[in-house]
Structure formats: structure tokens, C-alpha cells
Amino acid sequence: SQQGEEDPQALSIQEGENATMNCSYKTSINNLQWYRQNSGRGLVHLILIRSNEREKHSGRLRVTLDTSKKSSSLLITASRAADTASYFCATPYTGGFKTIFGAGTRLFVKA
Amino acid sequence: DTEVTQTPKHLVMGMTNKKSLKCEQHMGHRAMYWYKQKAKKPPELMFVYSYEKLSINESVPSRFSPECPNSSLLNLHLHALQPEDSALYLCASSQEGLRTSGSSNTGELFFGEGSRLTVL
């Protein structure tokens, strides 16, 4: 598989806490992306970080990328019940046309 | 609200039926994709169309037949499916197409809400 693992597989936290999800990949990348999927629905693109970037912020999201370790993390700060979803990291290959998704982390935020 | 529209939302079919899934986008995107997703698993790439031509086929069985009638539409024709083909089928699009001279794009995908397929 070109894609590695995400951990944890599942995460349950209280509203207001921070949630951190990790992703590893196996081959060189141009960028890494994070997507969110509410139960049984389509995926929504959250944030993209390029291989020459180390950290990126978007609202309550913070993404880091360590190309030497082939890993990335997604931090959601001050979580809300509405953040309950599955989160996938994704790496595009073949000129960006073959996007491989990680196994995903299922986040449950308790109100 | 998604700008990629998939129909039907739910489909139940027998193993001898022929049915089609449809996908439409009006964002002017030049690449369109079919993904298959089983429960609690990540989406798996099936097909990629670029500039209305099939560019990537991930060794998908021939009982799945994609079609791209024009730059806005993508179909997935289903015939003689097996119960293990039951899954959520996701359509996606991306802005750039793959040019013969080679190009790259960020790979940012815009997904539809999916078609939930059950094969009896």
C-alpha cells in the first residue's frame, strides 16, 4: 500500500478539549490533505499542506508535516459536538490524480 | 452544500439487474473520479476520467463500466454485481485534468454525497 496508517483509529473526547490525529505515509509527496466525512456522507476537504511547509492553520485546525518522518498530524482545538466525524489524511500521486486515503480516525465529541 | 450531485442516493438491486449511478458537476472541473467505500474503511479509487477520457482504471472488475458523456457528467453502469459490491459509491471532481504532456495539480477533490448501493 502506498499509504500508511492513521492513529488513533478512534478517539472520544469531551467538548472543549483538543483532538489530535496522526497520519503516516510511505512515499514522497507533493502535498498532504485532510478530509472530513460525516457518517455515511461525502468527504469534505479541510486543509492542504505542501511538502515544503511544516505547519498550516485554518480556523480551529492546525496541520503539521514532517517529511523526514513521513508523518502529519491534525489538531482540532476547542472541539465541538459537531466535529464528530471521520477524518482522513490523503496523499495524491500520479500528478495529483491518484489520491490514496489513510485508514481514518473516527472522532466522537461528547457534549 | 456539495456542488457534485449524485443520483440515486440509495439503490437496491439484484445480482441480475442492470442499473446506473450518475454524477454531475458544474464547476468546470476537468477530472472526475469514482471511489468505492466499505463501512469503516477509507475510500478506494476505482476510475479517473480526465478531459472525458478514461485515464486510470484501478483493475476494477468489468461488471463496473464507467462512462463520461461530457465534461459535466460521469456514469457508472452496474451489471451482474455481487453482494460484496454493496458499498457507498462516491463521485468526485478536481479542477485540473491530466494533460498528455504531463501536469500536476494539488489533487484537491470535491465529493458528492454518494450513492448507497445494496446488492441482494
Side-chain angles (χ1 to χ4, degrees):
Chain A
S1 168
Q2 290 174 308
Q3 187 53 283
E5 297 297 319
E6 286 185 58
D7 76 272
Q9 291 185 349
L11 180 61
S12 182
I13 60 174
Q14 292 290 139
E15 208 168 26
E17 294 181 339
N18 296 342
T20 300
M21 290 158 263
N22 303 297
C23 164
S24 63
Y25 58 92
K26 294 183 177 178
T27 60
S28 296
I29 58 171
N30 289 324
N31 70 70
L32 184 142
Q33 303 172 31
W34 286 88
Y35 288 80
R36 164 198 169 120
Q37 184 179 33
N38 286 4
S39 180
R41 304 192 65 179
L43 283 77
V44 176
H45 184 268
L46 293 177
I47 193 166
L48 179 153
I49 186 165
R50 298 183 189 278
S51 59
N52 61 355
E53 297 176 308
R54 291 298 166 257
E55 186 172 314
K56 198 163 183 179
H57 296 255
S58 177
R60 294 185 295 114
L61 304 180
R62 173 178 169 254
V63 170
T64 62
L65 180 65
D66 187 335
T67 53
S68 67
K69 295 181 180 178
K70 291 187 169 59
S71 66
S72 175
S73 68
L74 172 67
L75 169 67
I76 304 174
T77 60
S79 63
R80 306 166 181 167
D83 294 328
T84 294
S86 292
Y87 293 83
F88 296 93
C89 67
T91 47
Y93 298 93
T94 315
F97 295 94
K98 188 171 177 178
T99 295
I100 307 299
F101 289 85
T105 294
R106 284 177 283 126
L107 173 66
F108 181 64
V109 182
K110 293 176 281 188
Chain B
D1 288 341
T2 181
E3 295 185 69
V4 177
T5 304
Q6 289 188 243
T7 56
K9 286 185 169 41
H10 300 275
L11 178 63
V12 179
M13 61 186 290
M15 290 190 285
T16 58
N17 292 157
K18 285 184 181 181
K19 297 285 185 183
S20 297
L21 305 180
K22 297 184 183 301
C23 176
E24 189 169 3
Q25 60 88 13
H26 293 289
M27 296 178 282
H29 287 179
R30 308 310 305 198
M32 295 185 76
Y33 309 73
W34 281 114
Y35 278 84
K36 173 182 177 179
Q37 186 179 27
K38 303 283 274 185
K40 298 184 180 179
K41 296 291 186 183
E44 295 179 353
L45 183 63
M46 299 175 72
F47 303 104
V48 180
Y49 272 82
S50 174
Y51 293 99
E52 302 161 46
K53 291 189 178 355
L54 183 63
S55 297
I56 296 176
N57 177 344
E58 289 289 278
S59 302
V60 178
S62 60
R63 58 185 184 268
F64 295 92
S65 176
E67 178 196 21
C68 190
N70 61 55
S71 61
S72 300
L73 294 174
L74 185 65
N75 299 323
L76 186 62
H77 302 299
L78 315 170
H79 174 53
L81 295 194
Q82 304 296 312
E84 58 264 30
D85 296 322
S86 298
L88 181 68
Y89 288 84
L90 294 161
C91 174
S93 67
S94 65
Q95 187 170 11
E96 296 297 327
L98 179 64
R99 299 180 189 277
T100 54
S101 61
S103 72
S104 64
N105 72 92
T106 63
E108 179 179 347
L109 297 170
F110 294 77
F111 281 88
E113 292 288 2
S115 293
R116 173 78 58 191
L117 173 67
T118 302
V119 182
L120 300 177

